[in-house]
Amino acid sequence: MFVQPAPASDPLGMTFDQMLERIRYAGAYPTRERAAEAVHAVMTGLGRQLSGEERVELAARLPIEAAITFTAQIPAVEPLTGYGFVKELAARTGGTAATARWDAGAVLATVADLAGPDLLDRILARLQPGFALLFGRAELVQAA
């Protein structure tokens, strides 16, 4: 009998279906399809913002469907701030800034859990200001 090996899993053992259910609950989306739309839109945008070793490590911790969307993007030459990310997401999806912020928060909070605290610290160090809040973290700014 041939036993097919199980796909590599992330540290939390989260499948894409489990990720969608978690995001559906966190974002209060009416359907899994709406949650999937949010995942693909946000991961597309994040894929344009993150490069380097952190990009590779995050992709390895995501469910395969999310990782494919994330890694299919070419990192942008001009990185966006968190606010710019939300504005770009709203423009790309045809939504408002408020719904884009909601989508980003629902998706990126789950991504933060999948990344874990150490990788998330490194990711936030690479991204422009304003992203920490999107990942569900406080962003501390030094006084000038």
Side-chain angles (χ1 to χ4, degrees):
M1 176 199 297
F2 177 74
V3 177
Q4 188 172 6
S9 63
D10 55 72
L12 298 178
M14 190 179 292
T15 66
F16 188 63
D17 287 337
Q18 291 168 329
M19 182 182 193
L20 286 181
E21 279 305 312
R22 192 177 213 191
I23 291 167
R24 180 179 174 200
Y25 181 79
Y29 298 116
T31 64
R32 289 173 58 100
E33 291 74 21
R34 177 61 186 97
E37 289 171 11
V39 168
H40 291 296
V42 172
M43 295 311 295
T44 294
L46 186 61
R48 293 181 183 142
Q49 298 306 305
L50 192 60
S51 62
E53 187 177 313
E54 291 78 14
R55 177 184 174 98
V56 174
E57 286 184 47
L58 180 59
R61 295 181 188 197
L62 295 170
I64 189 72
E65 296 87 343
I68 289 170
T69 299
F70 173 67
T71 58
Q73 308 310 309
I74 297 171
V77 176
E78 290 292 324
L80 299 172
T81 63
Y83 176 70
F85 179 83
V86 169
K87 282 179 43 179
E88 188 275 334
L89 180 60
R92 192 164 30 86
T93 61
T96 65
T99 58
R101 169 63 179 91
W102 186 266
D103 289 347
V107 173
L108 294 178
T110 299
V111 170
D113 289 343
L114 289 168
D118 295 335
L119 177 56
L120 183 58
D121 287 343
R122 293 190 354 245
I123 288 170
L124 291 173
R126 282 185 136 311
L127 295 172
Q128 296 296 308
F131 273 92
L133 290 173
L134 298 175
F135 281 94
R137 280 207 178 165
E139 185 160 356
L140 302 177
V141 180
Q142 289 186 354

